[in-house]
Every structure is written in C-alpha cells, then in structure tokens.
C-alpha cells in the first residue's frame, strides 16, 4: 500500500516574487495531469474542507481560459480565473492566475510534474509582479492548499483503485 501523504505540501519563498509549493502523489504522471486539468476531476478536489465547488470550466489550450469558483461554509465566494499561456501534456502548464477577491494580486502560475518510481511530484510556482503583492497573498496562509491536495490524493487513489481494494 502506498503512503498517505496528507498534509505534506511544502511551501517555500525562494525569492521576493515567488511562492513555490511542492507535493508528491503516488500516481502516474498522466493521471495526475488529467486530475489537474480536467474539470470533472478538478471540481472534485479543488475546494478546501468546508467549501462547495460551484463552477469549474477549463479550456486547456494556449489562449484558453479557466474559471473555478467555490463557496465557503460562511457563504463567501472564492473565484479564480486565468488564461493558459503554455500547455505541455503531461508535464507542464503555465497560466495567468487571478483571485477575484484580490485582483490586484495577479500572478503567473507554472505547474510542473515529474515522475520517478511511480511517484509524481507536482511543483507549483506562483510568480507575482512585486514583493508587496506576494507578501499580501501569503498573509492568509496555506491551509486550504493542503486541504485541496489531500482531496486530490484521495481522488487519485479512488481512480487507481475504483473497487477500494488493497493490492496484495
């Protein structure tokens, strides 16, 4: 049985503009890419605990747009949107990133996947236009990121073993 990686996302601030988030998943790279880029999957894992996903659209092509919305248990709507700048299945996407609650904090998001020995590592880099924007964005912390990645791990497990059986 593969290890449970819940809560294992690593967040780093490598310079004044970037937030770097890394998480490993026990799944093949092609499946992880699909779970990151197909609305039928993203709608099942993107929202953190206590939130409900209400919109998930993704046009996965250079120039295509995405839009994801979830509502918190207190009724606050959180909306993210952007445009794909690069799409290189199954290893990389680059897109603009805007959280509509703070649109002045726009960034470029790069998601890169690497697989080794059946484990796929996702590295997400958000590059903000200045240090003040990056620092304002990180004030809220990253609890929601771990929640979302934990949901993603659970979804990957269910897709790899839809019967819920434990391999011998």
């Amino acid at each position: 049985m593969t290890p449970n990686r819940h809560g294992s996302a690593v967040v780093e601030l490598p310079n004044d503009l970037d937030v770097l988030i890394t998480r490993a998943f026990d799944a093949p790279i092609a499946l992880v890419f699909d779970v990151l880029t197909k609305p039928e999957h993203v709608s099942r894992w993107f929202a953190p605990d206590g939130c409900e996903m209400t919109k998930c659209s993704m046009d996965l092509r250079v120039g295509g747009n995405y839009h994801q919305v979830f509502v918190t248990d207190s009724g606050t709507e959180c909306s993210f949107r952007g445009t794909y700048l690069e799409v290189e299945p199954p290893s990389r996407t680059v897109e603009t990133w805007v959280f509509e609650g703070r649109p002045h904090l726009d960034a470029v998001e790069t998601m890169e996947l690497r697989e080794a020995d059946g484990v796929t590592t996702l590295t997400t880099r958000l590059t903000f236009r200045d240090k003040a924007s990056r620092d304002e964005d990180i004030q809220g912390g990253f609890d929601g990121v771990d929640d979302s990645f934990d949901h993603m791990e659970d979804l990957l497990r269910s897709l790899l073993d839809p019967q819920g059986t434990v391999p011998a």
Side-chain angles (χ1 to χ4, degrees), residues 74-131:
S74 65
T76 302
E77 185 175 271
C78 298
S79 177
F80 300 85
R81 68 172 61 239
T83 301
Y84 291 102
L85 305 173
E86 297 177 37
V87 178
E88 300 171 21
S91 60
R92 176 179 162 94
T93 64
V94 179
E95 51 275 346
T96 59
W97 178 91
V98 176
F99 170 51
E100 292 184 342
R102 293 181 281 180
H104 62 287
L105 301 182
D106 62 306
V108 173
E109 178 181 58
T110 302
M111 292 194 296
E112 295 184 311
L113 298 170
R114 289 180 314 282
E115 182 181 0
D117 300 321
V119 176
T120 299
T121 301
L122 165 64
T123 302
T124 302
R125 179 182 302 269
L126 283 169
T127 303
F128 292 87
R129 69 184 116 106
D130 55 45
K131 184 180 185 315

Side-chain angles (χ1 to χ4, degrees), residues 28-74:
I29 192 171
L31 181 59
V32 175
F33 187 84
D34 283 352
V35 166
L36 284 168
T37 59
K38 291 185 175 179
E40 64 267 25
H41 296 313
V42 175
S43 63
R44 294 176 59 192
W45 68 261
F46 184 78
D49 286 342
C51 300
E52 179 185 347
M53 198 79 173
T54 59
K55 179 173 178 87
C56 185
S57 63
M58 303 173 91
D59 181 7
L60 187 66
R61 62 181 175 82
V62 173
N65 296 314
Y66 71 90
H67 186 199
Q68 298 151 350
V69 180
F70 63 82
V71 178
T72 68
D73 53 4
S74 65

Side-chain angles (χ1 to χ4, degrees), residues 2-15:
T2 57
N4 180 329
R5 298 180 189 276
H6 280 205
S8 66
V10 175
V11 178
E12 301 172 90
L13 305 175
N15 56 49

